[in-house]
Amino acid sequence: MNAIAKLSRRNFIVGSTATIGGLSLGFCVPFAEAAGNLPPEVNAWVVVRPDDTIVIRIARSEMGQGSLTGLAQLVAEELECDWSKVTTEYPSPGQNLARNEVWGDFTTTGSRAIRRSHEYVRQGGAAAREMLIAAAAEQWGVPARECRAANSVITHQPSGRTTTYGKVADAAARQTPPSEVKLKDPKDWNIAGQPLHRLDTADKLTGKQKYGIDLVQPGMLNAAIRACPVFGGKLARFDAAAVQTMPGVRKVLQVDETAVAVVADTWWRAKTALDALPITWDEGSNTGVSSASIAELLAEGLESDERVFVGTSIGDARGVIAKGGKVITATYAFPYQNHATMEPMNATALWTPERCDVWAPTQSGGLSLQVAAEAAGLPIEQCDVHKVHLGGGFGRRGGFQDFVRQAVTIAKQMPGTPIKLIWSREEDMLHGFYHPTTQCKLTGVLDEAGSLTGFHMRISGQSILTSAAPQRLRDDGSDPLVFQGLANGGDEYALGYTIQNLLIDHAMRNPPVPPGFWRGVNLNQNALYLECFMDELAHAAGQDPLAFRRKLMVDHPKHLAVLEAVAERIGWNSTPPQGVHRGLAQIMGFGSYVAAAAEVSVSDGQLRIHRIVAATDPGHVVNPAQIERQVEGSFVYGLSACLYGECTVKGGRMEQENFNTYNVMRMADMPRVETIVMPSGGFWGGVGEPTIAVAAPAVLNAVFAATGKRIRRIPLANQDLGSV
Amino acid sequence: MARITVNGIPHDVDVEPETPLLWVLREQLGLTGTKYGCGVAECGACTVHVDGAATRSCVLPISAVEPGQNVTTVEGLSSDGNHPVQKAWLALDVPQCGYCQAGMIMAAAALIAQNKAPTDADIDAEITNICRCGTYNRVRAAIKRAVEQA
Ligand code: FES
Ligand code: FES
């Protein structure tokens, strides 16, 4: 143990596990570890090894949300295999393309990993089971219908003969896939629906789990990058000679119009040289843009008739409001947020004139492949993307593949050399696709009985789709995402209140800051506006906030059920402990119904969140333990924004560059979270995102109960809770 | 050239003296379990033990580490993932994406080595690592479990 260890790079080369499955399919994948003699797959979803190990292929990305385990549970449920022998692997987007998209969509955004693929992955498991049974039956010369499978064992029922999946896997692979399979009723599930342990925990405890940032390839060099910090600005020039002789530096290069990179033997040396590199920016036309100018633009939209799109319109809200009565009005605002995944953006690329391979932590393997091929200037068939575990995604690594494009663009300037591009945290904070800023003016009219007769919700602010995915805009140019949680019916984002005269509209105002899909997307802003204002209305009507909502929710039993559940669990009708105050919120998003109830206290201006009860009805539940984790985790994300998060703009760029100025929730801020999972069946809703939206309004309503102070703009850190 | 002792093994590394320990571990020694999250001692993803004390390695220049000091990384915390903290983490499935977890585990292991019965307030004060996936409540529960089972 005392000898000086001689380490060469080769000692710690890692093979991407994502590539191993590819070898059995005859793909040429450089750097993959020796594949051994992988048995043929039973079908695209299932490989069975002779020792009965089951390899389940997972198309969606694992970024912490647990759907790798959940999807494997669904396949295993139908496969009737021994769960203790299940492992997983990612097929690559290139293999998917070559096999006619046999694994469907790889995209892992919008809380869709399970709800958008449960059916075909279960069918994949069921088909494999049928083929394994058919192979055994054929060997025994008995009818397949006399055989049953359980726990990876096939039994011929009349004779009691048994065999295992591993023994018949080869023969099963040669069976014709069944043309039809019948899926189990979820009430008969044994593996799915259970709070099973995650499949991917052990390696995360010892340093063994490799993330994109950890990859090492033979002969690899590292790149550090800097793009013009001003949005829309460009790279004017840089003085490569000034850093060319610094230790380890191999190349200083222009990446594209906006960015420069230093390539060195280690990333630390690349970054050190980049910090020393004299760079001149052409800052462009946005240097006058600031948080104040953006707020002004949005405030104008609150009162304007220009570029206004109607989301929901019922009756005559404007007319009823104009007639007067008890009219309540309030204006709310939500600032820009950064995803700030713990693992900064990164990608590794190897380019040759014939082929391009990329290793990337990505939420969207298919899009990564497209972007890689474009940047590589090669036909897509000559490119592939090997997915690696993500150190957080939250929407940043899905629709935006800037890190892949940059890595390939750099690698293309150094043919034959693998290049690992890593962003610094500062780069990550300055070049996000930000949770967009919106403002909202809400107006409600109460009749003499205190009932809400008219309601107008005017949202003003940035559309994500206009810049991020214009093809998803509606024909009139409106952005449906802006109205998440506020729709008149539907199975994704239905408003939970019936209001006779209702108008929800959006004044589209797009500042020159790139917006993106941030966990929860527009549901966050909308739930905060709607649910805090409902609280305002209830107080104006002199009614209990739960009772006030109940009257409007008669026709929305699923919305109401989750709300009642959290109210009951928090003890809404009982007196809270001395100094503790409560707040409620509910919304529907990503196909699920969610609600939260919070208990807080405020003393000497200090907020303490003691406890949050959450309820979610996602229709069906694949792993209740994962759902609890997702709910807790989403609260941390949502409350970080509520308490601390704000990216402010000055001189056309973001001011916050690291966690010292973009603070997030830590252990000491964390409340106790109790999660009620209450699947009502009949639909498949998402889990990763919806609950995030109800944490902040529940807390803010509790803050009002505690202080009498309405917080209408977050983060709370900017507000003085003591001056009441 | 600097000499450091990591997980009981001395190494000679050829780096500039101001190179942070984090990048020596990751890039010279291939110990990638220790993560980069901020580089400014804010997030704790880079936490290792230097002579048993939890230390944020992203701001510790290699020149400040004495050859006689023992640096422990998550790879060297136990022989087989069997440190009480790792066992508690496994039992409770603490990690989500896992990226922050090596830092969390090292911070937690240092805490319970010094404080056999940490209170919630002790945990709040000592575990200031950032987890964007929001594993805090499970981290807290696992620390308590590790103490009980240690
Ligand atoms: S990387 Fe060292 S504290 Fe964040
Ligand atoms: S588990 Fe993902 S950042 Fe902590």
Side-chain angles (χ1 to χ4, degrees), chain B residues 22 35-47 56-59:
Chain B
L22 168 65
K35 298 294 192 247
Y36 165 68
C38 70
V40 296
E42 276 286 331
C43 77
C46 63
T47 305
R56 296 193 169 174
S57 64
C58 66
V59 290

Side-chain angles (χ1 to χ4, degrees), chain A residues 290-292 294-295 333-340 429 434-439 518 637-649 653-665 713-719, chain B residues 132:
Chain A
S290 67
S291 285
I294 293 170
F334 201 110
Y336 284 114
Q337 306 285 337
N338 190 296
H339 295 82
M429 288 297 298
Y434 302 88
H435 193 25
T437 180
T438 63
Q439 295 182 7
W518 189 94
Y637 214 67
L639 290 175
S640 288
C642 180
L643 300 180
Y644 303 114
E646 181 177 31
C647 297
T648 54
V649 183
R653 50 169 281 171
M654 285 304 175
E655 292 191 278
Q656 291 71 22
E657 296 194 27
N658 209 317
F659 289 118
N660 51 357
T661 46
Y662 187 71
N663 196 11
V664 296
M665 223 175 150
R713 40 192 75 224
I714 57 168
L716 264 167
N718 295 346
Q719 310 273 343
Chain B
R132 290 291 276 160

